[in-house]
Amino acid sequence: MKGHDAMPLSASVIGVHSFNFLGLGYRVDWPISIILSPSALKMYAEIFSFLIQVKLAIFSLTDVWRQLKDLVHSISQNNDSEQNEREVSHFNALVKMRHQVNHFVSTLQQYVESQLSHVSWCRFLYSLKHKVKDMMDLQSVHLAYLIDSLDICFLSDETRPIARIIESILQCALDFRSCLTGEMWDAGTSQGNLMARLSGINISQVVVIKQTFDKNMKELHLCYLKSPKHGKFGLSHFWEYLNYNKYYSDVGNEMAYYAFSV
């Protein structure tokens, strides 16, 4: 740990860097230190921090889904009141947005984990078996493995612009959780309490998060259009995972997924 202060997990203050107080380190002696050098350990730490950020975003969206699922039962029991139409419309938009953000974050997690465990790691094992004859070969092969891993996580110098966009989207997931106020979940399932729950949704904040997410997706799409389409790793490979049904291609530059009526 980088510090001993308690880490608050309040939904209103949590951010993608909230767990930066956790660090990945390993003290080694010579000659292992030739392989696990300070620069190599720094790369491992960057990858570790990135994976923590993705996991934190997944947790936030899972928590949102758990709470929205509880609210669905309330809506199904009180679906005959016209005065709830506006609030229910907001709720539906909230569910749709959660689905869109979750699609990106879960796809990112699947892409990164599969590439790290099934591609770069297998390449590393192959190189260990066929290319390593001495300690210097091992150092070179291990460094190549770390460079591949950084590329997969968009943490290399060339992919920093993409990393900033991804970080902003991950923050959207955390902010999305925070826009659901505590009062929303304290009410029961009666008609009045249903209204209290729905009115507890901070729609204004949701709209801001939606606009940020849409802007990030536009920027990522532009990066994809400019990126090389061939190579071991890169945005083009991740985009194939993300855009498997050509949805983003059909949407094009508009990226207008839906609109809230506030």
Side-chain angles (χ1 to χ4, degrees), residues 26 28 33-45:
Y26 189 53
V28 295
S33 59
I34 298 176
I35 308 303
L36 294 178
S37 63
S39 60
L41 291 174
K42 182 180 178 181
M43 294 182 191
Y44 275 114

Side-chain angles (χ1 to χ4, degrees), residues 66-132:
R66 177 182 61 81
Q67 300 185 70
L68 292 179
K69 186 172 63 173
D70 292 339
L71 192 54
V72 167
H73 299 299
S74 299
I75 293 176
S76 63
Q77 295 173 10
N78 300 275
N79 57 5
D80 56 347
S81 176
E82 295 182 1
Q83 65 178 344
N84 289 332
E85 184 176 347
R86 179 185 176 89
E87 286 74 12
V88 172
S89 176
H90 287 166
F91 172 79
N92 290 337
L94 197 67
V95 171
K96 187 173 182 180
M97 180 178 172
R98 186 265 172 195
H99 172 74
Q100 291 169 341
V101 178
N102 184 72
H103 170 65
F104 179 91
V105 177
S106 61
T107 301
L108 175 66
Q109 182 188 43
Q110 294 166 13
Y111 167 78
V112 168
E113 292 182 354
S114 65
Q115 293 294 304
L116 287 176
S117 60
H118 299 304
V119 180
S120 65
W121 179 250
C122 290
R123 289 167 58 91
F124 177 54
L125 293 180
Y126 178 86
S127 296
L128 285 178
K129 183 176 181 180
H130 298 282
K131 297 181 179 180
V132 175

Side-chain angles (χ1 to χ4, degrees), residues 50-69:
F50 174 73
L51 295 177
I52 288 291
Q53 292 174 11
V54 175
K55 182 65 70 173
L56 186 58
I58 289 290
F59 164 79
S60 298
L61 294 169
T62 302
D63 189 48
V64 168
W65 173 245
R66 177 182 61 81
Q67 300 185 70
L68 292 179
K69 186 172 63 173

